[in-house]
Amino acid sequence: MSFLHVQKLRNTANKQQPSIAMREYDGVAYVDMNEAPSSPKLDNFKKVSVLHLIFLIFYEVSGGPFGVEDSVQAAGPLLALLGFLVFPLIWSVPEALITAEMGTMFPENGGYVVWVSTALGPYWGFQQGWMKWLSGVIDNALYPVLFLDYLKSGIPGLAGGLPRAAAALALTFLLTYMNYKGLAIVGWVAVLLGIFSILPFVVMGLVAIPKLEPARWFVMNLHDVDWNLYLNTLFWNLNYWDSISTLAGEVDNPKKNLPKALFYALILVVLSYFLPLLAGTGAIPLNRDLWTDGYFSDIAKILGGVWLRWWIQGAAAMSNMGMFVAEMSSDSFQLLGMAERGMLPEFFAKRSRHGTPLIGILFSASGVILLSWLSFQEIIAAENFLYCFGMILEFIAFILLRIKCPVASRPYKIPVGTLGAILMCIPPTILICVVLALSTVKVMIVSLFAVAVGLVMQPCLKYAEKKRWMKFSVSDELPDLHEGNQERVDFSEDQSIIFDT
C-alpha cells in the first residue's frame, strides 16, 4: 500500500471546493462546518450533547463506587486506594486518549469496529465487534445482580429464589424500554441518576471526617492478596472508555465534544471511586471479609444511620439503572453500525420511530436475560477476558493507522509520534497479559469458546449472504472500508489530499 501526500491545492482547487471543510472517503463526503458530522440518518432526532455525553461515559465506565468493595477484601485498604489512583494512569488515560483520537477520526456508529476494519480488514473488524458486544452484554447482566444485592439487606425476599428472578426480569424490561424511547431520554436519565448517585457519598464523606484514622489507610499484607480478584475488580471498574465510540454518529459536534466529555468523565470517575474508599476505610475498623458488593450501604448505616443506608441503597439502585441504559445504548448502536457496514444482516440497521436500533436493543436485552444467572465474580472475570482480546485489536489498529495514515485528518490527535503511540500502549498491554494469565480455567475455557464462535460466525454470515438467505447491504452514506486497496481522499482543513491505494 502506498501513500501520496499532495500539497495544498491553490486557485483551481479552491474554486472547485466548497468554502467549508470537507472530508471524503471513497466518494462519500463528510462536511465540516465547525463540527464533525454525525450519522445522516439521525437528522430528524435530537443528538447527544456534551453534558449527556459526560454522564453516559460515566455510567459506561463507572456509575459510582458500587462494586469496588471487593478490592479491599482482596488486597486491603492501601492497595485498594493506590489501585484507584495508579491504575487510571496505566489503563484509563491511554484508553480514553485513543478513544478521543479514533472516535473523532471516524465519527460514526460502530466505533472501534470501524477502526479495526480500517486497519486490519472486515474479518477482524467483525471479531472485534463480536467480542466487545458479548463483553458488553455480559457486563450488563451484572447490573441487575448489583441492584438486587444492594436491596436485599432491606428487602430479604430479594436474596434469592423466584422473587429475585422476577425482579431482575422486570428491571431488564423497564430499562430496555427506556433505551427504545431514545438517546435523548437516556442522556437526561444518566444526568439525573448520576447526580442522585453521587450525592449520598458526598454526605457520607462529610459525616466520616470526625471519625477518620489515617493509620487505617496504610494497612497492607502482601502475603494475603487475592491478585486475581484485585486486578479484575480494578479492571472492571476502570475500563469501557471506548464504548462511547459506538454511538459517535449520534453525538452533537463529536470533534469537540467527545474529547472534552472523556476528560471530564475521567476526573469524575476517579474521584467517585477514591473518595468513598478513603472515607469507608478510614472511618471504621477493618474487617476485610465484610468488604464485598453492597457493603457501602452497611458503612453508611454505621456512619450516619439508617437514613443514610437507605439513601446509599437507593443511589445504588439508580446507579445500576444508569449503567444498564448506557451500556445497552452502546451495545445496540454498535450492532447498528456493523449492519450499516454490511457485517450483519440489514435488519440490524433499521431504527425505531425514536431513532433507536430496535433489533440491536432486543438482541442485547436477550443476552442480558440469558446471562443474569452468573455470579458477580464470574461475570467480571468472563467479561474482562473477552474485553482484553478486543483491546489488543484496538491497540494494534491505533498504531497501524498512525503508521499507514500519518497525515490523515485527526480532529483530535494525541500529541505523541508513532514511537510515543507504541510506548503508550505497552503498559496496558502488559496489564492485559497479567489479567489473562490470572483467569481461572473455567473462565478461560468459556471465553475461548466464545472467541471461537466469532471466528466461525463471520464466514457463516458471508456464506448466508452469498446464498441470499439473509440480506446484507452497506449504507450509501458511509465510507466503504471493506476493500483494503480502495482510495481514501481527505480534504482536511489545510486542504491537503491523501491518496491511499
Side-chain angles (χ1 to χ4, degrees):
M1 189 177 288
S2 62
F3 303 93
L4 176 62
H5 181 215
V6 182
Q7 296 297 330
K8 292 183 178 180
L9 302 178
R10 298 183 175 90
N11 302 328
T12 305
N14 288 334
K15 291 177 183 178
Q16 292 175 346
Q17 288 181 227
S19 58
I20 55 178
M22 178 180 294
R23 295 195 298 147
E24 183 176 318
Y25 299 93
D26 302 326
V28 180
Y30 283 115
V31 180
D32 184 348
M33 294 181 290
N34 296 323
E35 66 177 37
S38 298
S39 171
K41 294 186 177 182
L42 198 70
D43 290 342
N44 297 326
F45 302 102
K46 190 171 182 180
K47 297 175 184 176
V48 181
S49 68
V50 66
L51 177 64
H52 296 166
L53 203 59
I54 291 171
F55 280 91
L56 283 173
I57 297 170
F58 172 71
Y59 272 120
E60 285 176 346
V61 175
S62 165
F66 314 103
V68 306
E69 297 98 329
D70 281 322
S71 64
V72 179
Q73 183 190 81
L78 181 59
L79 285 180
L81 291 168
L82 288 176
F84 283 100
L85 287 180
V86 176
F87 196 92
L89 299 176
I90 299 172
W91 179 264
S92 301
V93 171
E95 187 183 4
L97 287 172
I98 291 172
T99 301
E101 177 171 319
M102 303 300 291
T104 55
M105 188 178 180
F106 301 99
E108 58 180 276
N109 297 327
Y112 37 69
V113 177
V114 181
W115 316 342
V116 175
S117 294
T118 308
L120 299 172
Y123 179 81
W124 289 108
F126 180 89
Q127 304 311 317
Q128 170 76 353
W130 164 248
M131 287 185 288
K132 295 301 283 287
W133 177 80
L134 188 56
S135 172
V137 170
I138 295 173
D139 180 60
N140 233 8
L142 177 63
Y143 302 132
V145 174
L146 279 175
F147 174 85
L148 297 175
D149 281 346
Y150 269 89
L151 292 185
K152 69 184 180 185
S153 57
I155 310 175
L158 296 177
L162 185 60
R164 182 181 178 93
L169 192 62
L171 180 65
T172 301
F173 276 116
L174 172 65
L175 300 180
T176 299
Y177 179 73
M178 199 176 294
N179 271 95
Y180 164 75
K181 293 293 287 184
L183 267 180
I185 292 176
V186 170
W188 277 115
V189 166
V191 172
L192 296 175
L193 293 181
I195 294 171
F196 183 79
S197 299
I198 292 170
L199 276 178
F201 288 98
V202 174
V203 174
M204 189 181 80
L206 294 174
V207 172
I209 291 176
K211 303 177 182 179
L212 291 177
E213 295 185 18
R216 292 172 174 163
W217 295 329
F218 299 96
V219 175
M220 180 179 65
N221 182 2
L222 290 177
H223 300 291
D224 185 21
V225 176
D226 184 344
W227 292 106
N228 186 29
L229 178 59
Y230 174 66
L231 289 176
N232 270 307
T233 302
L234 289 175
F235 194 71
W236 174 69
N237 281 287
L238 287 164
N239 62 16
Y240 282 87
W241 296 93
D242 58 341
S243 291
I244 198 65
S245 69
T246 63
L247 44 86
E250 319 298 303
V251 175
D252 180 33
N253 192 3
K255 179 177 71 175
K256 295 180 180 178
N257 287 343
L258 188 58
K260 186 188 299 184
L262 283 162
F263 173 75
Y264 289 121
L266 180 63
I267 295 174
L268 183 61
V269 166
V270 173
L271 291 178
S272 73
Y273 286 148
F274 185 76
L275 295 181
L277 274 176
L278 205 65
T281 55
I284 62 173
L286 177 65
N287 185 340
R288 281 173 56 174
D289 291 336
L290 296 177
W291 280 85
T292 185
D293 55 294
Y295 186 54
F296 268 125
S297 63
D298 295 329
I299 295 174
K301 181 181 178 181
I302 295 170
L303 294 177
V306 176
W307 66 272
L308 187 55
R309 176 188 188 176
W310 277 102
W311 194 3
I312 292 284
Q313 288 177 336
M318 298 300 103
S319 174
N320 283 284
M321 290 174 64
M323 288 187 284
F324 189 102
V325 295
E327 181 63 53
M328 182 165 283
S329 294
S330 291
D331 294 342
S332 56
F333 274 102
Q334 178 197 313
L335 296 181
L336 180 143
M338 292 176 71
E340 287 182 338
R341 293 204 165 277
M343 295 182 183
L344 291 175
E346 191 179 61
F347 59 80
F348 278 99
K350 296 187 185 214
R351 295 177 184 254
S352 70
R353 60 191 179 91
H354 303 289
T356 51
L358 177 60
I359 304 300
I361 289 173
L362 292 176
F363 264 72
S364 299
S366 300
V368 169
I369 293 171
L370 290 173
L371 294 166
S372 59
W373 56 272
L374 293 172
S375 71
F376 181 82
Q377 286 79 11
E378 286 175 328
I379 289 174
I380 290 179
E383 69 157 288
N384 283 351
F385 198 96
L386 291 169
Y387 189 83
C388 286
F389 278 111
M391 287 309 305
I392 289 172
L393 287 177
E394 282 184 35
F395 292 155
I396 293 172
F398 167 64
I399 293 171
L400 282 180
L401 289 173
R402 275 295 188 98
I403 295 171
K404 293 180 177 180
C405 309
V407 291
S409 175
R410 290 172 170 83
Y412 173 84
K413 185 175 182 179
I414 306 170
V416 295
T418 302
L419 179 59
I422 295 172
L423 293 175
M424 187 178 72
C425 292
I426 290 176
T429 302
I430 294 173
L431 181 62
I432 284 174
C433 294
V434 173
V435 171
L436 292 175
L438 290 174
S439 298
T440 64
V441 175
K442 177 183 175 182
V443 168
M444 189 176 299
I445 292 173
V446 172
S447 301
L448 289 176
F449 175 76
V451 171
V453 170
L455 296 175
V456 175
M457 188 187 303
Q458 199 268 356
C460 290
L461 286 173
K462 298 306 288 183
Y463 184 77
E465 179 182 10
K466 181 179 178 181
K467 292 293 185 178
R468 299 187 180 180
W469 294 338
M470 290 183 286
K471 186 177 180 182
F472 292 74
S473 63
V474 178
S475 172
D476 293 334
E477 299 175 325
L478 290 174
D480 184 3
L481 303 174
H482 285 227
E483 296 297 332
N485 359 324
Q486 289 193 5
E487 180 186 79
R488 172 179 170 180
V489 187
D490 183 310
F491 294 96
S492 57
E493 292 183 357
D494 67 352
Q495 296 177 341
S496 298
I497 297 180
I498 303 161
F499 289 99
D500 183 349
T501 56

